[in-house]
Amino acid sequence: MVRLIGIVGWIGLLNSVIGVVKADETSLKFQIDQDIDLQDDCNESLGNHEDSCNSGFLFNEDGSETEIEVTETIIEDAPRPTINLRDKEDDSIIVEDQIWYPYREHLTVKPLPKNYLLTSFDFNTESNEFIPGRPSTDFDDYSHYTVFPKAFKPILDQTSTRQLHLRFTRGFWDAESWGRLPYDGFKSGGSGVEIWAILEAASKDSAFSQWKTLVNSLSGLFCASMNFIDGAKTTFPVEAFHPMADSTLPLFDNSNKLYLIRAALANEPICTENLTPLVKLFPTKGKSGITTLLDGHKVFDSTWHSLSVDISTECYEQTDRCIHTLQALVDMVINVPKTLARNENPIPKPLPSDKLRCDLDKPYDAFHCFQLPYETEGSYGLSELFGKYIQGSSLMSEEPSQVCVEISDNWNSFIQVNGSLFATADDCFELKDFQQQDIYFESNNTNEVLDVEPVPVYVSRSLTGYGQDRGGLRTVFMNPQNEPVTLIYFETLPWFMRIYLSTMHLEKNAQSPVNISLDDILQSTYYMPAADRIRPTHLEYRITIPANTTLAVSYQFDKSLLQYAEYPPDANHGFEIESAVITVIDPTAYQLRTATLLLLLSTPDFSMPYNVIILTSTVMGLIFGTLFNLLVKKMLTVEEADKIQEGNSLQHKIQVVKGKIMTKSKFKYQEVKNDLKE
Amino acid sequence: MALIEQLQRRVVEMGLVPKIIALLPLVSMMCAMISSLWLAILPIEGQFRRTYISENALMPSQAYSYFRETEWNILRGYRSQIEHFDTISNTERNKQMTEWLRDFGAKTAIYNDDEFGDSLYGILHAERGDGTEAILLAVPWHNAEGEFNVGGASLGISLSKFFSRWPVWSKNIIVVFSENPDVALRSWVQAYHTSLDLTGGSIEAAIVLDYPGSNDYFDHVEISYGGLNGELPNLDLVNIAVSITEHEGVQVSLHGIEPGFINDESYWSRLKILVRGIFNNAFAGLESLHGNEAFSGWRIQSVTLKAHGKEGGNNDITTFGRIPEAMFRSINNLLEKFHQSYFFYMLVAPRYFVSISSYLPATVVLSASFALASLNSLLNNQYNTLSFFSHYNLMAVLFWLISMLLSFIFSQLFLYVPSMSLLVIFILAMVMIPLAAGRLWTITEPLSYRLQMYAFFYMSLVITSLMMVNFALAFVIGILAFPMTVVGTQRNLTLKKCVLLVISNPLVSFFLIKPHPQLLQKLIFAWQQLGCWSWFVLCLGWLPSWILVALSACSGTQFHTVGTTKKEQ
């Protein structure tokens, strides 16, 4: 018990130390801000500084108040900033005008219908020029990384990766009301982790081994289970993932070829541990510019979020040098009323009766309330949604960080700096260095937003069937447009789903047009059947969906039995089936993914054979023992047994032997005697 | 000389073998009695166990339930609108409901079913979930008794709205408004797994709400859990339902037995629940369904919650709403499918259960009693020395095959012509033909014994193979068919034997237990719409044996002389 208390005490102490360190950091930051911009206002104490700054706020004081209270308490606990910090600021903050690095960051905010808000963070950087095809072990080779993350270059070199695409996506994109995915869907993946890359290699086998190296390295870098990607999850896409036609990829060695390889981990949880390495890739590292908004709590609290990293190689023919370009995106959709309500009260408790908005046309009294739909008038700031202010801008980039807002006429947007609000004509705001900034929105009707671009096609996929040994996959394509849509359907399925391509058919139902057969609309099919434990089923087909039509393509599969050690523990969730990828190629380019699926295999009851073996062995042992005894043993009285035992004892045997010898010797003696007599 | 040899010699010396063989009918009867007694022993203190939450992640009622306070106002707001819904058509109701559901962001679709009525369903996509799993809340517009489910529908919509505000969901939430709790709901579930375009992943659990009337207060909650074909939801789901209901201060009733009687904790109350449970399970699909049965067969765990007592209750309707709320929170905690706890169990009280190892011997003994009866027909007559390949034996096998074929034709015929009068004619013919045939055409005595042997042996096999998957049906069929074994093969059919023969006819005995003029239609309907095997178990499991027994019981003239000579001997 004493020891326990000791441990608790230590943890407490540790916490307080950490708290002090944290507070130290914050106070430092505030100190810097304060001395540069607000010298007159806030020089009594740090806490007061916050308050006095806040008094200039025009919008929503309630929301920010809680935040400030927290900082205040921390600051009071913390030791006052020391003087050497003040000295330091003069050295660190002066930036020479001439040093710019190829780094740009950009945030786009776009209100979506039904009070949702899409925020897209866009980060771009480039590497220094390098000579292609030169091994890094060359004696005069040196590597210099400026803003391009150092972690990537060696991996890219080692695995000869020319293009790398990483996607971390989770949530539900409501295409029906939000329209197209950001960047037409080319920058978001299916639920979970998705990765594809173009590798330069001499053969398919060496490409695969380089791929293994690549995913294993990335697994450590991004804290995702990419090390579980093996042959049974990897495919070589034929049509679906090909890079856009305009970009040509360089070959460093002309005898090699380029290989496109892809894998996905369905429903891999996306979490802070994936976001933190991503934020650390940027030179601002979450300390200044728009990256300060990227807090795991808020990003992963969103309805839909997607993190992506795209690295490509570009070569210049004139100089024979190449560079790597990196684009990283963080997109998320936030439900605004819910997020604001959570700031007030983290638990969505029943509303107090005076806050109920009731429809007065319907029965309404102290007991009845028919609620009106959500409020359409509103104003909020990004700081309320992200729980943080934007701290300064990115210092080393050519152009300052930029925030653009895409809104319709009934909306207003402002940037708030130093307690004052500013608006611009194009609703794009450049962030100022060393300032605490916020973006505000207001609208009299939040439902009226910029028209959402309709998606070219809706696709949904579901598992069908009754029972445990077989099932079906059903994909519904719905083309809402007045022109036919041509798309490439890409699907990989684990080998334990044994699909029967022969059963693939177009479902006949009341809505589907009668005169269409699958052969009419299916243009080309690529099918690589699965090999048990070696590779997955890989199916790609090009299909044209006629205008204003809904079609359902379905086929059947068998659920195979696994080897006993391959079954997951009884407490499993089922097997995740990765989403199908639909790439629309005509009339527009668009990519979307279906939801992932959960497959339950028929699992033998593993404890039963164990029980049965134990039980039968016991019974068998008992029966055999008893029966054997009954068959071979004889019942005797004690006297009889004693007699027999007497006969069997060692003493008795010795006696017998002795007797025999005696009699024999006696006999011999007698014989000798007789002989002598004779 | 070994002991076993001695024993055997002693047995031979005492002539025990023939004595035991002579006693076989009695032993068989004893077995059947033991089987029934076995079940009667189960509710005795010490024979059953207290239920427990096996899956720790469920944590029922650990989180505070917030469906209270102003949620009541909102619920009453919806109810004031829904009260008028029973006068308007299903289409209009669904249209209005769709509008409300879409208001808070649910995706909705209507499943068109011309035969049983359209079903409306909405999906609330889990914000942080992967969207592969769902929990379902089903609200039939009319409940099993045909009452308009005003409270249930109001709860359905206000709970969905309440759920939409919570960020905790890891699974999608599906809410279904079907026309009725049986065929319409089942047809929707069927469509969800075959042809619906809007889907929300595999359904893990379903809760059906039944709160007829627009009363604010109710007395107690009945929890229905039995599925079709002997399927039961995981005991953990029933446990959390019971535990949450009692946590909310509401009393639980099972199988329509009043909580007052259950709370006696007496032997008789437990026995009553046990027997009702067995009968409800055995005849599932023949009576009006509560709603949870609609999900049987898709690995969906489901229960129905029904509010009882319109007058004089002191639990308000939001208390009823907090039960599904807390259950949803519990199920939402599950990372894996329901795999802990029991799938084979019988409840003797809301908090007491009997596991399969305790109750299964009852049917094992019953099946043994048929096997002994079969042995009796083989050994207990002067024809026991006939070789296996004797003419009689082969004839008996042939007869058995023919009776199987006839039964199959019979089962298929009624699927197409489910007419009661035809059935009565058929049964009369079935009863009369052997009687009449006895005059015209004779079955020799050895053959009649062999026929019975095969009949009982087949019956024993049927019961054995059925008892694991559908204990209740296996047990009930075994008990009801038992009179067959005492019919015997005498020619002079006494009235008693005649009656025994008639009441052991599958359809007649089912009719005696469930006297309903539409029984046949119900059996066939249960197969066609709900996938209940009962009809085929009766036709292919029981009927062939009965035909053989009837034939042998009404066999020919030759028998008479043999019978008398035997008696003289």
Side-chain angles (χ1 to χ4, degrees):
Chain A
M1 199 61 206
V2 175
R3 219 168 130 188
L4 198 73
I5 292 165
I7 292 167
V8 172
W10 270 109
I11 292 169
L13 198 64
L14 203 67
N15 273 341
S16 58
V17 171
I18 292 167
V20 168
V21 173
K22 274 184 187 162
D24 228 334
E25 277 173 21
T26 24
S27 54
L28 166 69
K29 216 183 288 167
F30 284 119
Q31 193 70 36
I32 293 168
D33 288 349
Q34 171 197 347
D35 281 3
I36 290 164
D37 313 315
L38 305 155
Q39 263 167 352
D40 298 334
D41 291 342
C42 330
N43 47 9
E44 306 107 42
S45 83
L46 292 161
N48 285 347
H49 144 64
E50 268 296 331
D51 273 345
S52 57
C53 290
N54 211 32
S55 59
F57 281 18
L58 290 178
F59 284 95
N60 216 334
E61 303 216 330
D62 311 8
S64 41
E65 225 159 52
T66 46
E67 190 66 34
I68 287 153
E69 264 168 26
V70 173
T71 21
E72 223 170 357
T73 47
I74 292 172
I75 288 163
E76 271 167 10
D77 287 350
R80 290 294 150 103
T82 46
I83 298 180
N84 59 356
L85 285 175
R86 284 168 186 267
D87 294 343
K88 212 175 160 191
E89 98 204 11
D90 294 319
D91 306 334
S92 60
I93 281 164
I94 295 165
V95 177
E96 284 180 44
D97 291 322
Q98 302 310 315
I99 307 174
W100 302 124
Y101 292 106
Y103 171 71
R104 285 172 304 282
E105 56 177 33
H106 184 90
L107 168 64
T108 314
V109 185
K110 186 184 174 192
L112 295 173
K114 299 207 169 177
N115 279 336
Y116 283 92
L117 188 77
L118 171 70
T119 51
S120 308
F121 295 78
D122 183 348
F123 308 95
N124 285 285
T125 106
E126 283 171 12
S127 75
N128 284 11
E129 285 189 354
F130 62 91
I131 304 165
R134 197 153 163 200
S136 54
T137 47
D138 268 12
F139 73 96
D140 59 343
D141 185 71
Y142 76 96
S143 305
H144 187 62
Y145 308 95
T146 52
V147 286
F148 189 79
K150 191 189 167 192
F152 276 121
K153 186 74 167 41
I155 302 175
L156 297 176
D157 285 346
Q158 194 194 351
T159 58
S160 306
T161 306
R162 300 287 160 261
Q163 245 187 33
L164 171 67
H165 306 273
L166 255 174
R167 304 281 182 267
F168 300 87
T169 312
R170 197 168 175 94
F172 171 69
W173 178 268
D174 185 359
E176 217 174 295
S177 59
W178 306 340
R180 293 185 173 213
L181 285 157
Y183 312 96
D184 280 339
F186 288 102
K187 300 289 181 189
S188 42
S191 179
V193 177
E194 208 174 311
I195 172 170
W196 68 98
I198 297 178
L199 304 168
E200 181 182 321
S203 66
K204 201 171 172 179
D205 285 342
S206 64
F208 182 72
S209 71
Q210 288 168 14
W211 163 255
K212 283 282 286 180
T213 316
L214 177 71
V215 290
N216 276 288
S217 319
L218 290 174
S219 161
L221 201 58
F222 282 101
C223 303
S225 335
M226 281 184 271
N227 50 329
F228 287 108
I229 292 174
D230 53 5
K233 284 201 172 82
T234 307
T235 47
F236 292 79
V238 180
E239 272 191 291
F241 282 90
H242 269 260
M244 297 287 107
D246 52 312
S247 68
T248 48
L249 283 167
L251 264 180
F252 290 176
D253 180 351
N254 280 328
S255 62
N256 284 347
K257 275 198 225 162
L258 291 173
Y259 291 90
L260 171 60
I261 312 182
R262 176 195 178 269
L265 295 167
N267 291 345
E268 166 87 5
I270 311 300
C271 194
T272 324
E273 62 198 26
N274 308 117
L275 178 70
T276 313
L278 187 80
V279 173
K280 289 277 185 269
L281 295 179
F282 316 130
T284 48
K285 304 218 187 288
K287 301 287 185 207
S288 73
I290 56 171
T291 49
T292 48
L293 289 180
L294 289 176
D295 175 7
H297 292 98
K298 297 291 176 181
V299 172
F300 299 110
D301 206 13
S302 57
T303 309
W304 177 87
H305 45 260
S306 167
L307 323 177
S308 76
V309 177
D310 295 82
I311 299 175
S312 188
T313 316
E314 279 172 34
C315 289
Y316 306 108
E317 272 178 30
Q318 301 90 343
T319 55
D320 213 16
R321 298 289 168 98
C322 296
I323 57 160
H324 289 304
T325 58
L326 181 145
Q327 185 185 33
L329 304 166
V330 179
D331 295 290
M332 64 189 118
V333 176
I334 301 167
N335 185 325
V336 177
K338 259 194 223 179
T339 314
L340 295 181
R342 285 193 82 185
N343 286 346
E344 273 177 41
N345 189 351
I347 301 170
K349 286 178 185 167
L351 292 170
S353 53
D354 53 321
K355 283 201 179 167
L356 280 180
R357 299 173 62 248
C358 302
D359 189 342
L360 301 182
D361 299 337
K362 302 214 163 100
Y364 164 67
D365 53 32
F367 302 109
H368 291 77
C369 173
F370 190 90
Q371 266 196 313
L372 290 169
Y374 51 83
E375 221 165 342
T376 55
E377 210 169 316
S379 63
Y380 48 86
L382 277 190
S383 64
E384 291 167 62
L385 301 178
F386 287 93
K388 281 179 170 182
Y389 291 97
I390 304 173
Q391 302 284 351
S393 180
S394 77
L395 292 172
M396 58 272 289
S397 67
E398 238 165 310
E399 46 201 76
S401 315
Q402 202 182 34
V403 181
C404 281
V405 181
E406 293 177 14
I407 44 175
S408 57
D409 293 338
N410 59 326
W411 287 73
N412 291 315
S413 68
F414 310 98
I415 185 165
Q416 182 254 312
V417 196
N418 290 349
S420 334
L421 294 170
F422 303 98
T424 55
D426 58 351
D427 288 322
C428 276
F429 309 103
E430 292 194 345
L431 299 180
K432 301 277 182 301
D433 293 348
F434 317 121
Q435 312 247 351
Q436 207 177 61
Q437 292 146 106
D438 196 3
I439 312 289
Y440 275 102
F441 308 89
E442 60 173 15
S443 170
N444 53 8
N445 184 2
T446 51
N447 258 351
E448 248 178 71
V449 292
L450 286 181
D451 283 343
V452 293
E453 252 189 291
V455 289
V457 66
Y458 295 101
V459 183
S460 71
R461 189 176 63 155
S462 58
L463 282 172
T464 60
Y466 180 93
Q468 293 295 306
D469 52 343
R470 61 178 66 86
L473 259 185
R474 181 171 184 272
T475 316
V476 184
F477 298 91
M478 184 195 159
N479 179 2
Q481 303 186 103
N482 289 325
E483 50 185 330
V485 164
T486 306
L487 56 89
I488 299 163
Y489 181 85
F490 171 94
E491 186 171 59
T492 63
L493 299 170
W495 57 266
F496 42 79
M497 275 172 88
R498 301 227 160 99
I499 73 163
Y500 295 105
L501 212 58
S502 57
T503 57
M504 188 162 154
H505 69 285
L506 208 60
E507 261 177 39
K508 293 266 175 284
N509 55 30
Q511 296 99 19
S512 71
V514 218
N515 48 359
I516 294 181
S517 76
L518 198 59
D519 297 334
D520 300 340
I521 53 170
L522 209 65
Q523 282 148 13
S524 69
T525 313
Y526 173 84
Y527 175 57
M528 172 69 92
D532 280 7
R533 297 169 188 85
I534 294 170
R535 62 159 191 256
T537 305
H538 173 189
L539 177 66
E540 269 183 63
Y541 55 80
R542 193 188 278 248
I543 192 171
T544 303
I545 314 295
N548 297 314
T549 314
T550 303
L551 298 173
V553 177
S554 68
Y555 51 80
Q556 303 299 308
F557 64 86
D558 271 355
K559 300 177 185 175
S560 57
L561 284 173
L562 306 182
Q563 286 173 0
Y564 85 98
E566 286 171 337
Y567 280 102
D570 199 22
N572 68 46
H573 181 231
F575 293 87
E576 316 277 2
I577 307 300
E578 61 181 85
S579 24
V581 184
I582 292 96
T583 317
V584 179
I585 46 176
D586 185 55
T588 52
Y590 186 73
Q591 198 168 59
L592 73 148
R593 283 158 174 86
T594 62
T596 50
L597 300 171
L598 193 66
L599 179 77
L600 291 176
L601 293 186
S602 46
T603 314
D605 179 358
F606 288 109
S607 69
M608 202 186 83
Y610 168 80
N611 292 339
V612 167
I613 288 168
I614 288 200
L615 210 74
T616 41
S617 309
T618 316
V619 172
M620 289 284 281
L622 267 173
I623 289 180
F624 176 77
T626 325
L627 209 67
F628 185 75
N629 279 340
L630 288 176
L631 283 173
V632 298
K633 285 193 178 167
K634 201 158 73 173
M635 292 290 275
L636 293 170
T637 58
V638 181
E639 289 81 16
E640 280 172 322
D642 280 348
K643 233 176 232 174
I644 291 169
Q645 204 164 22
E646 241 169 52
N648 279 347
S649 71
L650 194 66
Q651 217 173 5
H652 180 77
K653 275 182 185 159
I654 293 167
Q655 286 274 330
V656 169
V657 173
K658 221 178 181 178
K660 269 187 185 166
I661 293 167
M662 287 298 280
T663 45
K664 235 181 190 176
S665 58
K666 245 184 199 168
F667 189 65
K668 272 186 182 168
Y669 177 72
Q670 289 258 315
E671 259 181 16
V672 173
K673 234 182 181 177
N674 288 345
D675 284 353
L676 283 172
K677 269 182 188 173
E678 277 166 18
Chain B
M1 194 168 48
L3 176 67
I4 210 161
E5 256 181 275
Q6 271 189 340
L7 264 179
Q8 195 235 348
R9 275 187 204 181
R10 193 58 56 83
V11 165
V12 173
E13 272 166 30
M14 289 169 73
L16 271 183
V17 176
K19 274 184 195 163
I20 291 173
I21 289 176
L23 281 175
L24 271 179
L26 193 67
V27 177
S28 162
M29 186 97 78
M30 287 284 284
C31 279
M33 279 165 72
I34 289 172
S35 162
S36 318
L37 274 177
W38 190 283
L39 284 186
I41 285 168
L42 291 178
I44 294 176
E45 199 87 46
Q47 300 302 312
F48 51 84
R49 289 161 65 187
R50 199 177 161 78
T51 58
Y52 54 95
I53 308 288
S54 179
E55 170 65 70
N56 287 321
L58 286 169
M59 299 193 290
S61 298
Q62 293 294 299
Y64 190 73
S65 302
Y66 285 99
F67 192 71
R68 54 179 84 223
E69 296 162 28
T70 50
E71 298 296 333
W72 197 355
N73 297 31
I74 297 169
L75 186 143
R76 280 192 277 214
Y78 279 121
R79 196 177 61 198
S80 64
Q81 304 301 304
I82 292 173
E83 270 168 349
H84 316 299
F85 273 16
D86 58 340
T87 51
I88 60 175
S89 72
N90 178 307
T91 325
E92 281 173 71
R93 275 201 299 258
N94 287 341
K95 205 176 132 200
Q96 182 63 62
M97 207 51 123
T98 304
E99 212 173 281
W100 292 342
L101 281 169
R102 280 178 181 256
D103 262 352
F104 50 81
K107 299 274 148 221
T108 61
I110 289 174
Y111 162 60
N112 291 310
D113 184 346
D114 299 330
E115 203 177 348
F116 305 116
D118 299 352
S119 302
L120 160 75
Y121 68 104
I123 297 177
L124 288 167
H125 286 272
E127 293 194 354
R128 299 192 219 173
D130 45 32
T132 56
E133 289 168 296
I135 321 175
L136 189 138
L137 187 71
V139 182
W141 282 115
H142 295 93
N143 72 0
E145 285 79 38
E147 297 163 286
F148 192 64
N149 194 1
V150 181
S154 325
L155 274 167
I157 179 78
S158 52
L159 265 177
S160 315
K161 183 168 184 144
F162 173 77
F163 289 156
S164 75
R165 281 172 37 210
W166 281 80
V168 296
W169 305 117
S170 67
K171 297 170 169 55
N172 293 338
I173 290 172
I174 304 178
V175 54
V176 187
F177 294 90
S178 68
E179 190 53 33
N180 56 47
D182 38 47
V183 277
L185 190 55
R186 178 117 188 143
S187 143
W188 178 86
V189 181
Q190 173 91 38
Y192 186 88
H193 293 93
T194 46
S195 62
L196 291 185
D197 293 351
L198 176 70
T199 53
S202 50
I203 303 168
E204 294 293 302
I207 296 167
V208 185
L209 295 184
D210 183 356
Y211 192 109
S214 48
N215 42 311
D216 264 338
Y217 294 91
F218 70 100
D219 186 55
H220 64 271
V221 169
E222 181 186 346
I223 297 173
S224 313
Y225 58 95
L228 301 171
N229 296 330
E231 255 184 63
L232 293 172
N234 191 290
L235 185 56
D236 264 346
L237 187 79
V238 182
N239 283 347
I240 59 166
V242 170
S243 130
I244 289 168
T245 312
E246 291 186 349
H247 179 84
E248 292 293 343
V250 183
Q251 291 185 316
V252 176
S253 117
L254 293 173
H255 304 294
I257 299 168
E258 289 290 315
F261 186 55
I262 293 177
N263 291 345
D264 286 352
E265 297 238 340
S266 67
Y267 170 81
W268 296 110
S269 80
R270 291 191 290 259
L271 185 68
K272 196 171 173 187
I273 295 176
L274 182 78
V275 171
R276 281 260 187 110
I278 290 175
F279 271 81
N280 284 351
N281 236 347
F283 298 106
L286 298 186
E287 283 177 273
S288 52
L289 305 184
H290 302 95
N292 56 315
E293 295 92 340
F295 298 92
S296 273
W298 282 282
R299 212 169 174 167
I300 301 172
Q301 319 301 328
S302 60
V303 290
T304 304
L305 306 172
K306 181 177 168 62
H308 276 282
K310 286 187 183 178
E311 310 293 326
N314 47 8
N315 302 300
D316 71 74
I317 186 164
T318 53
T319 314
F320 189 77
R322 285 197 291 275
I323 302 169
E325 184 207 339
M327 286 181 75
F328 267 48
R329 291 291 298 270
S330 278
I331 299 161
N332 188 52
N333 287 342
L334 274 187
L335 276 179
E336 61 259 21
K337 56 193 189 290
F338 275 99
H339 69 99
Q340 293 262 11
S341 202
Y342 295 84
F343 281 98
F344 299 105
Y345 56 89
M346 288 200 295
L347 290 186
V348 291
R351 297 258 191 187
Y352 296 124
F353 80 107
V354 186
S355 86
I356 186 164
S357 57
S358 307
Y359 67 73
L360 202 63
T363 332
V364 175
V365 175
L366 196 58
S367 147
S369 88
F370 276 95
L372 289 175
S374 161
L375 213 59
N376 176 42
S377 308
L378 176 70
L379 300 174
N380 219 357
N381 50 58
Q382 64 268 55
Y383 311 108
N384 54 10
T385 47
L386 284 174
S387 95
F388 181 75
F389 293 103
S390 74
H391 149 78
Y392 296 113
N393 218 349
L394 297 179
M395 274 294 278
V397 173
L398 187 70
F399 265 88
W400 175 72
L401 286 174
I402 291 170
S403 73
M404 281 295 283
L405 185 71
L406 277 176
S407 307
F408 180 72
I409 292 169
F410 174 80
S411 69
Q412 292 298 317
L413 177 73
F414 279 93
L415 287 186
Y416 298 105
V417 201
S419 141
M420 200 66 186
S421 47
L422 187 66
L423 180 77
V424 172
I425 294 168
F426 219 96
I427 290 176
L428 279 178
M430 268 199 290
V431 177
M432 296 311 289
I433 284 172
L435 285 174
R439 312 252 171 263
L440 306 171
W441 162 71
T442 56
I443 289 174
T444 54
E445 197 188 6
L447 180 59
S448 72
Y449 277 118
R450 292 296 151 132
L451 284 180
Q452 289 207 344
M453 180 195 105
Y454 281 108
F456 300 146
F457 185 62
Y458 179 64
M459 203 64 203
S460 168
L461 280 183
V462 167
I463 292 174
T464 312
S465 47
L466 196 63
M467 70 183 169
M468 266 303 281
V469 280
N470 195 347
F471 169 83
L473 189 61
F475 180 78
V476 168
I477 281 182
I479 292 290
L480 290 182
F482 191 74
M484 277 198 321
T485 61
V486 289
V487 168
T489 54
Q490 269 109 326
R491 185 190 168 234
N492 284 351
L493 270 177
T494 58
L495 185 66
K496 192 178 127 202
K497 308 233 156 174
C498 243
V499 169
L500 282 177
L501 188 61
V502 171
I503 62 160
S504 63
N505 178 290
L507 291 157
V508 173
S509 70
F510 253 53
F511 189 78
L512 289 176
I513 300 285
K514 289 258 163 239
H516 193 284
Q518 300 284 311
L519 183 74
L520 175 74
Q521 278 90 335
K522 285 198 161 212
L523 273 168
I524 291 182
F525 186 78
W527 162 249
Q528 286 176 331
Q529 302 305 334
L530 308 169
C532 248
W533 311 323
S534 310
W535 170 249
F536 284 101
V537 171
L538 290 189
C539 288
L540 299 181
W542 187 351
L543 192 61
S545 295
W546 185 83
I547 292 176
L548 292 182
V549 172
L551 273 178
S552 65
C554 314
S555 58
T557 46
Q558 197 188 351
F559 183 23
H560 177 66
T561 51
V562 177
T564 46
T565 47
K566 196 180 166 192
K567 265 179 197 163
E568 280 159 15
Q569 282 165 355

